[in-house]
Coordinates of all heavy atoms in Angstrom, one line a residue:
K394 N -34.0 8.4 -8.7 CA -34.5 8.3 -10.0 C -36.0 8.1 -10.0 O -36.8 8.8 -10.8 CB -33.9 7.1 -10.8 CG -32.5 7.4 -11.3 CD -32.0 6.3 -12.1 CE -30.6 6.6 -12.7 NZ -30.7 7.6 -13.7
R395 N -36.5 7.3 -9.0 CA -38.0 7.1 -8.9 C -38.7 8.4 -8.5 O -39.9 8.6 -8.8 CB -38.3 6.0 -7.9 CG -37.8 4.6 -8.3 CD -38.3 3.5 -7.4 NE -37.7 2.3 -7.8 CZ -36.6 1.8 -7.2 NH1 -36.0 2.4 -6.3 NH2 -36.2 0.6 -7.6
R396 N -38.0 9.3 -7.8 CA -38.6 10.6 -7.4 C -38.5 11.7 -8.4 O -38.7 12.8 -8.1 CB -38.0 11.0 -6.1 CG -38.2 10.1 -4.9 CD -37.7 10.7 -3.6 NE -37.9 9.7 -2.5 CZ -37.5 10.0 -1.2 NH1 -37.1 11.2 -0.9 NH2 -37.7 9.0 -0.3
G397 N -38.0 11.3 -9.6 CA -38.0 12.4 -10.7 C -36.6 12.6 -11.3 O -36.5 13.5 -12.2
R398 N -35.6 12.0 -10.8 CA -34.2 12.2 -11.3 C -33.6 13.5 -11.0 O -34.3 14.4 -10.4 CB -34.1 11.9 -12.8 CG -34.5 10.5 -13.2 CD -34.5 10.3 -14.7 NE -34.8 8.9 -15.0 CZ -36.0 8.4 -15.1 NH1 -37.1 9.2 -14.9 NH2 -36.2 7.1 -15.4
N399 N -32.4 13.8 -11.4 CA -31.7 15.0 -11.1 C -31.7 15.4 -9.6 O -32.1 16.5 -9.2 CB -32.3 16.2 -12.0 CG -31.3 17.4 -12.0 OD1 -30.1 17.3 -11.7 ND2 -31.9 18.6 -12.3
L400 N -31.4 14.4 -8.8 CA -31.6 14.5 -7.4 C -30.5 13.7 -6.6 O -30.0 12.7 -7.2 CB -33.0 13.9 -7.0 CG -33.4 14.0 -5.6 CD1 -33.6 15.5 -5.1 CD2 -34.7 13.2 -5.4
V401 N -30.1 14.2 -5.4 CA -29.2 13.5 -4.6 C -29.9 13.1 -3.3 O -30.6 13.9 -2.7 CB -28.0 14.3 -4.2 CG1 -27.0 13.6 -3.3 CG2 -27.2 14.7 -5.5
L402 N -29.8 11.8 -2.9 CA -30.5 11.3 -1.7 C -29.4 10.6 -0.8 O -28.5 10.0 -1.3 CB -31.6 10.3 -2.0 CG -32.9 10.9 -2.6 CD1 -33.9 9.8 -2.8 CD2 -33.5 12.0 -1.7
R403 N -29.7 10.7 0.5 CA -28.8 10.0 1.5 C -29.4 8.7 1.8 O -30.6 8.6 2.0 CB -28.7 10.9 2.8 CG -28.1 12.2 2.6 CD -27.8 12.8 4.0 NE -27.7 14.3 3.9 CZ -27.3 15.0 5.0 NH1 -27.2 14.4 6.1 NH2 -27.2 16.3 4.9
A404 N -28.5 7.7 1.9 CA -29.0 6.3 2.3 C -29.6 6.3 3.7 O -30.5 5.5 4.0 CB -27.8 5.3 2.1
S405 N -29.0 7.1 4.6 CA -29.5 7.1 6.0 C -30.9 7.6 6.1 O -31.6 7.3 7.1 CB -28.6 7.9 6.9 OG -28.6 9.3 6.4
H406 N -31.4 8.3 5.1 CA -32.8 8.9 5.2 C -33.8 7.9 4.6 O -35.0 8.1 4.7 CB -32.9 10.2 4.4 CG -32.1 11.3 5.0 ND1 -32.1 12.5 4.4 CD2 -31.4 11.4 6.1 CE1 -31.3 13.3 5.2 NE2 -30.9 12.6 6.2
L407 N -33.3 6.7 4.1 CA -34.2 5.7 3.6 C -34.5 4.5 4.5 O -35.3 3.7 4.1 CB -33.6 5.2 2.2 CG -33.3 6.2 1.2 CD1 -32.8 5.6 -0.1 CD2 -34.5 7.1 0.8
G408 N -33.9 4.5 5.6 CA -34.1 3.4 6.5 C -33.2 2.2 6.2 O -32.3 2.3 5.3
P409 N -33.3 1.1 6.9 CA -32.4 -0.1 6.6 C -32.6 -0.6 5.2 O -33.6 -0.6 4.6 CB -32.8 -1.1 7.7 CG -34.2 -0.7 8.0 CD -34.3 0.8 7.9
V410 N -31.5 -1.1 4.7 CA -31.4 -1.7 3.4 C -31.0 -3.2 3.5 O -30.0 -3.5 4.2 CB -30.5 -1.0 2.4 CG1 -30.4 -1.7 1.1 CG2 -31.0 0.4 2.2
Y411 N -31.7 -4.1 2.9 CA -31.4 -5.5 3.0 C -30.8 -5.9 1.6 O -31.5 -5.9 0.6 CB -32.6 -6.3 3.3 CG -33.2 -6.0 4.7 CD1 -34.2 -5.1 4.8 CD2 -32.6 -6.5 5.8 CE1 -34.7 -4.7 6.0 CE2 -33.1 -6.2 7.1 CZ -34.1 -5.3 7.2 OH -34.6 -4.9 8.4
A412 N -29.6 -6.3 1.6 CA -28.9 -6.6 0.3 C -29.4 -8.0 -0.1 O -29.6 -8.9 0.7 CB -27.4 -6.6 0.5
T413 N -29.6 -8.1 -1.4 CA -30.0 -9.4 -2.0 C -28.7 -10.2 -2.2 O -27.6 -9.7 -2.1 CB -30.7 -9.2 -3.3 OG1 -29.8 -8.6 -4.2 CG2 -32.0 -8.3 -3.1
G414 N -28.9 -11.5 -2.6 CA -27.8 -12.3 -2.8 C -26.9 -11.8 -3.9 O -25.7 -12.1 -3.9
T415 N -27.4 -11.1 -4.9 CA -26.6 -10.6 -6.0 C -26.0 -9.3 -5.7 O -25.2 -8.8 -6.4 CB -27.5 -10.4 -7.2 OG1 -28.5 -9.5 -6.9 CG2 -28.1 -11.8 -7.6
G416 N -26.3 -8.7 -4.5 CA -25.8 -7.3 -4.2 C -26.6 -6.3 -4.9 O -26.1 -5.1 -4.9
R417 N -27.7 -6.5 -5.5 CA -28.5 -5.5 -6.2 C -29.9 -5.6 -5.7 O -30.4 -6.7 -5.3 CB -28.5 -5.8 -7.7 CG -27.2 -5.6 -8.4 CD -26.8 -4.1 -8.4 NE -25.5 -3.9 -9.1 CZ -24.9 -2.8 -9.1 NH1 -25.3 -1.7 -8.4 NH2 -23.8 -2.6 -9.8
M418 N -30.7 -4.5 -5.8 CA -32.1 -4.5 -5.4 C -32.9 -5.3 -6.5 O -32.5 -5.2 -7.7 CB -32.6 -3.1 -5.3 CG -31.9 -2.3 -4.2 SD -32.1 -3.1 -2.6 CE -33.8 -2.8 -2.3
P419 N -33.9 -6.0 -6.1 CA -34.6 -6.9 -7.1 C -35.5 -6.1 -8.1 O -35.8 -6.6 -9.1 CB -35.4 -7.8 -6.2 CG -35.6 -7.0 -4.9 CD -34.4 -6.2 -4.7
S420 N -35.8 -4.8 -7.8 CA -36.7 -4.1 -8.7 C -35.9 -3.6 -9.9 O -34.7 -3.5 -9.9 CB -37.3 -2.8 -7.9 OG -36.2 -2.1 -7.4

Side-chain angles (χ1 to χ4, degrees):
K394 284 187 175 290
R395 294 188 186 96
R396 295 186 187 184
R398 299 178 176 83
N399 193 22
L400 183 65
V401 177
L402 287 180
R403 302 189 196 185
S405 62
H406 291 179
L407 303 180
V410 174
Y411 300 95
T413 63
T415 60
R417 294 291 186 190
M418 297 302 290
S420 55

